[in-house]
Amino acid sequence: MAYSNRHYEELKGAYLFAEVARRSSEYKRANPDKKVISLGIGDVTLPLVPAVIEAMHKATDDMAKKETFYGYGPYEGYDFLLEKIAQQDYKARGVDISTKEIFVSDGAKSDTGNIGDIFGEENTVLIADPAYPVYIDTNVMSGRKVVLVPTKADNGFIPEPPDFASDIIYLCSPNNPTGAVMNKKQLLAWVGYAKKHHAVILFDGAYEAFIQDSSLPHSIYEVEGAKEVAIEFRSFSKTAGFTGIRCGYAVIPKELKLQGKNGEVSANELWFRRQSTKFNGTSYITQRGAEAIYTPEGRAQAMQNIAFYLENVAIIKKGLDACGIEYLAGLSSPYVWFKCPGGLSSWDFFDKLLTVCNVVGTPGEGFGECGKGWFRLTGFNDRSNTIEAIERFKQL
Ligand SMILES: *Cc1c(COP(=O)(O)O)cnc(C)c1O
């Protein structure tokens, strides 16, 4: 008899997106003449930029010739990409990260989920509520105790260190779903907490490229002392439309130590051991595509797409202003997080928006208790649909 992993029985159902899909398709079936617009999209919609396409075509040609063919690559990624990351994502921001501290992967979902492999089951995990569901579910699957840190509107949904100890902390900034961005002082408080409790911060920076305010940190390592306590995750998914291509990276500084059986062990070495056992690298063609984002043309093109999504976000926020609806300020993420008008619950507002305006969004409470009464819209649709959805919204 093969026994199942019993921890899977403790998982809550993948309720949110399944329920959103169920309610919207039911409505569409009953109202086939209505044009339903989704501002609930959590995926990019613009195609890959020309610089990336060109680099990937060229890499494909490399694979066609014996002299330039690539088989298995290095587990941690090719030097050509690691060097660009170290230089442009870190050194250019005054952060010293060596190529030996960077691990290229197939994305931040895998990395934020798989990183649990190097941590013991006895760790207590702290997760800010509301949250990207991957953090909670992957820890439940591993049988770890999860403690939620509530965030509140009056504090801009920024999580604050609690007055009790924990071992692993997930932080996401700019945040999905709220769009909140932590400043250096707020990150410093968490670094201090992690040092005090010998804890590790898992910092998800998937939306780093959306940061507009130059005073806000793009990396947790911009904060003094973070290299001793933090692992950082980045992704080319939202930065450059790689959601279908799959590429991201994790940074694990050499200074970061975990408690082993006979003293301290290096988290960087454990992750290398884990990756070299369970992962055979991101494809050469993909990594050449990612490298192209670090050329001046590639960067400018990718930033243009981000600017387009942010203009959609600005259009949505202007519409909310016109309706007198309260939303979380700041323009550094593709998300608009707002309070459901009229004191409606997230799901009641979802139904109203769907049936009255034929617009689909995402109920905040699907991301956690603290999202109750809040709602998420995204800037990922095209311009005309975004404008039309907001015009309808004003009729509410
Ligand atoms: C989209 C997203 C990611 C990126 O996932 P990939 O696997 O790299 O596509 C990571 N974290 C959060 C919070 C996200 O919303």
Side-chain angles (χ1 to χ4, degrees):
M1 177 61 84
Y3 296 100
S4 68
N5 178 344
R6 299 297 164 85
H7 300 308
Y8 278 55
E9 286 161 40
E10 288 145 41
L11 289 168
K12 304 235 167 66
Y15 174 73
L16 176 64
F17 291 100
E19 185 61 15
V20 165
R22 192 190 68 76
R23 290 191 194 200
S24 17
S25 50
E26 191 174 286
Y27 179 80
K28 283 185 215 164
R29 222 176 309 115
N31 302 275
D33 55 315
K34 296 272 170 47
K35 180 191 166 196
V36 175
I37 298 176
S38 177
L39 293 187
I41 306 173
D43 192 357
V44 294
T45 51
L46 293 171
L48 292 171
V49 298
V52 169
I53 291 296
E54 201 180 305
M56 292 181 81
H57 276 301
K58 190 169 166 294
T60 307
D61 290 338
D62 288 344
M63 293 301 239
K65 293 187 289 273
K66 191 159 197 305
E67 308 76 58
T68 50
F69 168 77
Y70 286 83
Y72 289 127
Y75 302 117
E76 68 276 36
Y78 286 103
D79 279 334
F80 62 75
L81 180 55
L82 295 172
E83 279 158 14
K84 306 286 185 316
I85 293 169
Q87 182 61 40
Q88 297 190 33
D89 287 345
Y90 293 101
K91 203 158 191 180
R93 300 198 68 85
V95 176
D96 186 26
I97 293 288
S98 94
T99 55
K100 299 273 178 261
E101 296 172 307
I102 304 165
F103 298 84
V104 173
S105 71
D106 65 347
K109 187 190 230 181
S110 319
D111 282 347
T112 51
N114 293 334
I115 195 71
D117 277 11
I118 68 167
F119 291 100
E121 192 178 323
E122 63 273 46
N123 289 297
T124 295
V125 181
L126 216 59
I127 299 173
D129 178 358
Y132 182 53
V134 173
Y135 311 150
I136 297 178
D137 287 357
T138 55
N139 280 290
V140 169
M141 285 173 178
S142 302
R144 280 186 211 102
K145 184 177 170 205
V146 171
V147 178
L148 296 172
V149 185
T151 61
K152 292 188 214 83
D154 59 18
N155 188 28
F157 287 94
I158 297 291
E160 284 177 1
D163 55 9
F164 52 84
S166 69
D167 310 303
I168 299 171
I169 304 119
Y170 285 81
L171 296 176
C172 178
S173 174
N175 189 272
N176 177 9
T178 67
V181 191
M182 299 177 79
N183 63 30
K184 282 192 186 166
K185 192 163 161 255
Q186 290 157 342
L187 284 178
L188 189 62
W190 278 106
V191 168
Y193 171 89
K195 285 197 165 163
K196 181 174 166 199
H197 297 289
H198 302 284
V200 173
I201 295 169
L202 303 178
F203 185 79
D204 185 344
Y207 296 95
E208 162 275 331
F210 285 78
I211 294 176
Q212 300 299 302
D213 179 343
S214 60
S215 73
L216 293 170
H218 287 238
S219 164
I220 192 167
Y221 305 123
E222 289 176 54
V223 167
E224 186 71 32
K227 283 178 80 178
E228 286 150 57
V229 294
I231 292 175
E232 180 161 295
F233 303 98
R234 294 270 186 103
S235 168
F236 299 107
S237 285
K238 316 303 175 1
T239 304
F242 272 46
T243 52
I245 297 286
R246 312 302 311 139
C247 195
Y249 63 86
V251 177
I252 309 190
K254 299 268 186 188
E255 290 93 326
L256 189 75
K257 301 283 193 255
L258 307 181
Q259 189 60 50
K261 202 163 147 196
N262 304 305
E264 291 186 334
V265 294
S266 156
N268 180 295
E269 281 171 27
L270 291 189
W271 185 242
F272 183 78
R273 188 72 177 79
R274 189 269 172 209
Q275 289 296 78
S276 56
T277 302
K278 295 194 181 182
F279 183 64
N280 251 339
T282 305
S283 83
Y284 170 74
I285 297 171
T286 298
Q287 291 189 62
R288 282 294 186 197
E291 183 192 21
I293 305 160
Y294 294 92
T295 60
E297 317 78 68
R299 171 129 316 222
Q301 291 164 1
M303 286 302 157
Q304 221 172 347
N305 286 0
I306 286 177
F308 175 83
Y309 297 133
L310 288 176
E311 282 160 28
N312 283 344
V313 166
I315 288 167
I316 296 170
K317 288 186 170 172
K318 228 172 126 195
L320 294 180
D321 281 335
C323 303
I325 293 173
E326 179 192 340
Y327 56 84
L328 197 65
L331 191 67
S332 288
S333 94
Y335 301 119
V336 182
W337 182 249
F338 65 92
K339 201 166 166 43
C340 299
L344 288 179
S345 77
S346 297
W347 281 109
D348 286 345
F349 182 72
F350 174 90
D351 289 334
K352 190 166 177 190
L353 193 61
L354 175 62
T355 55
V356 179
C357 306
N358 304 322
V359 172
V360 174
T362 314
E365 73 176 86
F367 299 97
E369 282 287 305
C370 296
K372 274 192 165 161
W374 287 73
F375 208 80
R376 192 192 78 173
L377 295 180
T378 83
F380 285 129
N381 212 316
D382 61 31
R383 183 59 42 82
S384 61
N385 276 336
T386 303
I387 291 171
E388 190 180 341
I390 290 310
E391 283 312 311
R392 293 187 200 164
F393 203 103
K394 289 183 190 161
Q395 325 277 298
L396 256 188

